[in-house]
Amino acid sequence: EDKVVQSPLSLVVHEGDTVTLNCSYEVTNFRSLLWYKQEKKAPTFLFMLTSSGIEKKSGRLSSILDKKELFSILNITATQTGDSAVYLCAVHSGSARQLTFGSGTQLTVLP
Amino acid sequence: GAGVSQSPSNKVTEKGKDVELRCDPISGHTALYWYRQRLGQGLEFLIYFQGNSAPDKSGLPSDRFSAERTGESVSTLTIQRTQQEDSAVYLCASSASTAAGANVLTFGAGSRLTVL
């Protein structure tokens, strides 16, 4: 059974801090890893990673995948209160036609 | 449409009643997914539709849950004889069928179900 584990479960920081969110996985026939941001209800897409060592970057957010050690990290620099959300990691494997999601990391950024 | 639409956004029902939740995917997206999210938890896969293929129902938690999809358009998730543990947000997502975009799901805002 495919498994995705995120850590920490929750994190409280102050504006301007840098945070690193972790996602480890155990799947059969890995295809891709995705990060989503969920503020209220609908998760919104951030990154899709398929290759090791290639950083994806969007503004203050960046992510990288390590397919040998089976994990990914999501970095957020100079955090803002608007970054407060649940960050979800999901893995698509060849053995399943759906994404397996982790339980998410609740990030709270205080002013 | 421009995004994935779900209705109702909120539904309160009594234990034992049946409910229907609707999802209208992005036009042209052949894949459609239903997920359940209980309070404070991650997304739990329920069912997946891809074009005219047989749906993947492996995530449906019991025979009280069923879903249908008409062609490549609207899908309905039905929960019969609702129980309190069915209370959750039900999220629908769709994705394109191209190799590049096949894994990127676009989610709707969800339907929050409360069973009293």
Side-chain angles (χ1 to χ4, degrees):
Chain A
E1 183 181 333
D2 294 347
K3 193 174 169 183
V4 178
V5 178
Q6 292 186 245
S7 64
L9 291 180
S10 65
L11 190 56
V12 180
V13 299
H14 287 90
E15 274 193 316
D17 289 349
T18 293
V19 298
T20 298
L21 309 182
N22 303 290
C23 175
S24 63
Y25 61 90
E26 292 177 27
V27 303
T28 304
N29 193 11
F30 172 90
R31 293 184 64 179
S32 61
L33 184 145
L34 290 83
W35 284 96
Y36 284 85
K37 178 182 181 182
Q38 186 177 29
E39 292 180 82
K40 289 184 180 177
K41 281 186 183 176
T44 54
F45 171 74
L46 295 175
F47 299 112
M48 182 170 73
L49 302 156
T50 56
S51 302
S52 272
I54 299 175
E55 184 183 56
K56 292 281 184 90
K57 196 170 172 64
S58 176
R60 297 176 294 102
L61 276 67
S62 64
S63 183
I64 197 160
L65 174 68
D66 186 327
K67 289 168 73 173
K68 182 180 176 185
E69 299 298 329
L70 308 182
F71 77 91
S72 173
I73 59 171
L74 175 68
N75 277 320
I76 308 175
T77 59
T79 52
Q80 302 172 357
T81 55
D83 296 328
S84 296
V86 174
Y87 289 83
L88 296 165
C89 173
V91 174
H92 185 260
S93 64
S95 64
R97 289 184 288 175
Q98 21 81 4
L99 295 180
T100 301
F101 281 83
S103 56
T105 293
Q106 172 75 61
L107 174 65
T108 303
V109 182
L110 302 175
Chain B
V4 178
S5 297
Q6 291 189 246
S7 62
S9 55
N10 281 286
K11 174 75 176 177
V12 179
T13 190
E14 293 179 347
K15 179 180 171 182
K17 301 282 189 184
D18 296 352
V19 297
E20 278 191 359
L21 308 176
R22 176 189 167 104
C23 173
D24 199 346
I26 291 173
S27 178
H29 278 191
T30 59
L32 185 147
Y33 305 74
W34 283 99
Y35 284 84
R36 176 170 72 178
Q37 187 173 33
R38 292 193 165 114
L39 186 64
Q41 298 187 20
L43 276 65
E44 177 188 359
F45 168 74
L46 296 177
I47 189 168
Y48 161 83
F49 296 91
Q50 172 63 60
N52 294 318
S53 301
D56 178 351
K57 303 180 181 181
S58 60
L60 294 178
S62 77
D63 59 8
R64 296 187 295 105
F65 287 72
S66 62
E68 292 183 349
R69 187 182 186 193
T70 306
E72 293 184 354
S73 60
V74 171
S75 174
T76 302
L77 176 68
T78 301
I79 308 173
Q80 295 178 307
R81 305 181 302 282
T82 51
Q83 304 293 313
Q84 288 182 331
E85 67 257 27
D86 300 334
S87 296
V89 175
Y90 290 83
L91 289 161
C92 175
S94 68
S95 72
S97 60
T98 62
N103 296 347
V104 179
L105 276 62
T106 301
F107 284 86
S111 293
R112 181 179 298 280
L113 174 66
T114 303
V115 182
L116 301 177

